[in-house]
Amino acid sequence: DDPVRAVHAAIEIRRNLKTMSVQSCIGIATGWTICGLVGNDVRLEYTAVGSSVILAARLMQNANCCVLVNHDTYKTSCGSAVFEKICSIKVKGRDDKIQVYRPVESERRITKKLASVRDSD
């Protein structure tokens, strides 16, 4: 349920930032990632690498102050959130276009119960 929790966390983060008048752009991509500590005794950092990390960054760059998710995140999360199909976009480093969705951020539309999806996919 990681994609579901990521979508709900992103919506909650944006909701909290809006109360402070801070704009935010968030990209979420579901896929394989390698995470762990990298470095040595002098400098040690936790990092995540993989094509899904790069795709999430590209989605964030295209987000224009909203949350954008890829198709895999949409497929996994569509039972617990309502999504709006945006378009297919070309992102740097990918040959194919990426289908992009935006979760509807209204509190009454986001629910832990199964919600209907507006998109006919």
Side-chain angles (χ1 to χ4, degrees):
D1 71 337
D2 292 339
V4 172
R5 290 185 294 132
V7 169
H8 286 281
I11 291 168
E12 188 64 27
I13 289 167
R14 284 190 39 82
R15 187 176 295 131
N16 289 332
L17 289 175
K18 282 181 187 177
T19 65
M20 297 181 276
S21 300
V22 176
Q23 293 183 342
S24 61
C25 303
I26 299 174
I28 302 171
T30 300
W32 289 100
T33 304
I34 298 172
C35 303
L37 295 171
V38 176
N40 56 33
D41 292 340
V42 177
R43 183 174 176 163
L44 193 62
E45 295 180 353
Y46 186 82
T47 191
V49 294
S51 61
S52 61
V53 176
I54 295 167
L55 178 56
R58 301 288 186 231
L59 291 172
M60 183 190 73
Q61 291 169 347
N62 285 278
N64 194 22
C65 296
C66 69
V67 178
L68 292 181
V69 305
N70 70 335
H71 184 73
D72 289 340
T73 304
Y74 160 76
K75 268 185 5 189
T76 308
S77 305
C78 66
S80 71
V82 177
F83 289 87
E84 177 181 23
K85 188 175 186 178
I86 302 296
C87 63
S88 294
I89 61 171
K90 177 79 174 118
V91 295
K92 183 180 173 182
R94 293 275 183 128
D95 293 331
D96 54 335
K97 286 188 171 186
I98 304 300
Q99 181 59 56
V100 178
Y101 301 84
R102 182 181 66 84
V104 177
E105 297 185 39
S106 170
E107 198 167 326
R108 62 181 163 65
R109 301 293 299 275
I110 302 300
T111 171
K112 290 182 181 176
K113 298 178 184 174
L114 293 179
S116 62
V117 180
R118 288 180 13 190
D119 190 14
S120 61
D121 279 344

